[in-house]
Amino acid sequence: QAQLVESGGGLVQPGGSLRLSCAASGSIFSGYVMGWYRQAPGKQRELVARIRSDASTYYRDSVKGRFTISRHNAKSAVYLQMNSLKPEDTAVYYCNRFPPDFTSWGQGTQVTVSS
């Protein structure tokens, strides 16, 4: 079964930065579009950003200019650099294929933006 392990979350003040990492098993990563998703309390999980194997990217409007998604194909890893964080970015962040493989969600990593 494919595995996804997210890391790098934490508590940060508004305006701060975090870099999330995702280690993926090859079966879910190689050649696929990969995405970062987030789920805030009481809300549905939403796509934050995605990246194709050719490194072309998409971002939801609320994070454009603040977040950067990248991938390292040889390491089967995906990253999310988050700058200028806002309280509304508080959520559990997950990585997965896009569209997601619903059998492969990892535990996610908590990001809390608060003063």
Side-chain angles (χ1 to χ4, degrees):
Q1 185 176 350
Q3 268 199 313
L4 295 160
V5 180
E6 301 92 349
S7 62
L11 172 63
V12 63
Q13 291 187 340
S17 298
L18 285 173
R19 185 175 188 252
L20 306 184
S21 299
C22 170
S25 63
S27 62
I28 196 169
F29 181 91
S30 181
Y32 288 97
V33 181
M34 295 298 296
W36 279 99
Y37 302 77
R38 66 186 180 188
Q39 187 166 19
K43 295 189 176 181
Q44 288 193 330
R45 195 168 300 185
E46 62 185 17
L47 176 69
V48 176
R50 64 177 187 254
I51 184 167
R52 298 169 58 104
S53 55
D54 64 0
S56 59
T57 57
Y58 159 86
Y59 299 92
R60 69 182 303 108
D61 285 347
S62 60
V63 307
K64 281 182 183 176
R66 300 188 297 122
F67 291 11
T68 303
I69 189 172
S70 59
R71 65 191 289 162
H72 193 305
N73 291 331
K75 293 184 178 180
S76 296
V78 188
Y79 309 99
L80 187 68
Q81 177 67 43
M82 306 187 295
N83 299 327
S84 301
L85 282 160
K86 303 176 180 180
E88 51 263 42
D89 295 318
T90 294
V92 179
Y93 284 70
Y94 304 86
C95 67
N96 204 327
R97 187 184 294 174
F98 177 83
D101 177 345
F102 289 96
T103 67
S104 298
W105 290 109
Q107 302 231 351
T109 186
Q110 174 71 48
V111 172
T112 303
V113 185
S114 175
S115 55

